[in-house]
Amino acid sequence: MRKPMMAGNWKMNKTVAEAKELAQAIQAQVATVEAVDRVLCPPFVCLPAVQDVLANSSIAVGAQNMHWAASGAYTGEVSGEMLQGLAQYVIIGHSERRQYFGETDESVNQKVKAALAHGLIPIVCVGESLEQNEGGQTAAVVTLQVQDALDGVSAEQVQTLVIAYEPIWAIGTGKAATPQQANATCGVVRGVVAHMFDDAVAQATRVLYGGSTNDKNIADIMQQPEIDGALIGGAALKAESYCAMVQTTAQLYA
Ligand code: PGA
């Protein structure tokens, strides 16, 4: 059975002091909920403080982005090498990065490979726009994104990484995909992995859903067989809602 994961994407929220406080509050409530992988992804500048708070716990830390080069003349960027020791995971290709910062399937692929080379676990994001959804293109769009993101990645590596299906129209809108919709597209993602590698690899690879998840809808979402967890935005900014989501998931998997 795949281990469930609740990953919090804090996006561009929280000062260092606030991040520390939130990590402490989460640590106090779900430090021992080992049945669920818990990952907190604060902004870069908060990574040392959050890593420090979580140093002796099983709650992991993730970055929200990275550059594919190890170092060099890339003003404003952060490399996988720099994240070593500060993060175990890294979100790659979030739709906000694709939308506002020009990330492409090609750069996502470069980043995925660089993250793996640096011992970081990528949380690779894919998902269709509202227009694509309404045009019935969801499966086709997501298939291409997964194929491109995983190009050149080995079967062994794929099983370690995490793929997050996040329909763009559901992110931050309060309008989550229905559990059935989310399940169907997470199944498409797994099918692509099976096609690129094999069924055993696909069965071992975790696929998360993201987009307006919260403590109210998480139980229905987590009961779907293809969904192995959530990438949580807004609801991850408060310890109460994030921890409730972790606890609900732990109970479902008990
Ligand atoms: P949301 O964000 O939960 O606030 O919709 C999800 C995400 O962007 O990862």
Side-chain angles (χ1 to χ4, degrees), residues 7-9 41 91 94 123 125 164 166 208-211 213 229-233:
N9 174 10
C41 305
I91 298 172
H94 190 279
I123 300 175
C125 301
E166 300 206 303
L208 313 183
Y209 165 75
T213 57
L231 182 55
I232 311 155

Side-chain angles (χ1 to χ4, degrees), residues 94-246:
H94 190 279
S95 65
E96 286 151 16
R97 304 263 352 140
R98 295 178 189 251
Q99 204 175 345
Y100 307 132
F101 303 99
E103 294 204 12
T104 62
D105 288 339
E106 193 191 351
S107 64
V108 168
N109 177 243
Q110 283 179 289
K111 291 179 180 201
V112 167
K113 288 190 282 196
L116 291 165
H118 286 102
L120 297 160
I121 302 171
I123 300 175
V124 189
C125 301
V126 298
E128 84 286 3
S129 67
L130 181 61
E131 201 184 359
Q132 290 165 333
N133 181 276
E134 289 174 343
Q137 296 168 275
T138 300
V141 168
V142 167
T143 295
L144 211 61
Q145 288 174 331
V146 174
Q147 279 172 345
D148 285 350
L150 302 184
D151 186 43
V153 174
S154 75
E156 212 168 70
Q157 289 173 321
V158 168
Q159 299 173 62
T160 66
L161 58 70
V162 179
I163 303 172
Y165 165 57
E166 300 206 303
I168 297 169
W169 48 271
I171 296 175
T173 58
K175 194 174 161 262
T178 66
Q180 293 73 21
Q181 272 177 320
N183 186 63
T185 309
C186 287
V188 169
V189 170
R190 198 178 309 287
V192 177
V193 176
H195 193 253
M196 291 179 80
F197 301 92
D198 61 37
D199 212 40
V201 171
Q203 287 307 321
T205 305
R206 285 188 287 190
V207 183
L208 313 183
Y209 165 75
S212 297
T213 57
N214 55 47
D215 50 345
K216 307 280 182 308
N217 61 20
I218 196 66
D220 287 343
I221 289 165
M222 289 308 296
Q223 276 171 51
Q224 299 296 319
E226 296 291 352
I227 303 178
D228 304 316
L231 182 55
I232 311 155
L237 294 173
K238 290 210 167 68
E240 296 67 36
S241 44
Y242 174 76
C243 293
M245 294 170 83
V246 171

Side-chain angles (χ1 to χ4, degrees), residues 54-67:
L54 304 175
N56 296 315
S57 89
S58 57
I59 303 176
V61 179
Q64 298 174 15
N65 178 33
M66 60 172 269
H67 195 273

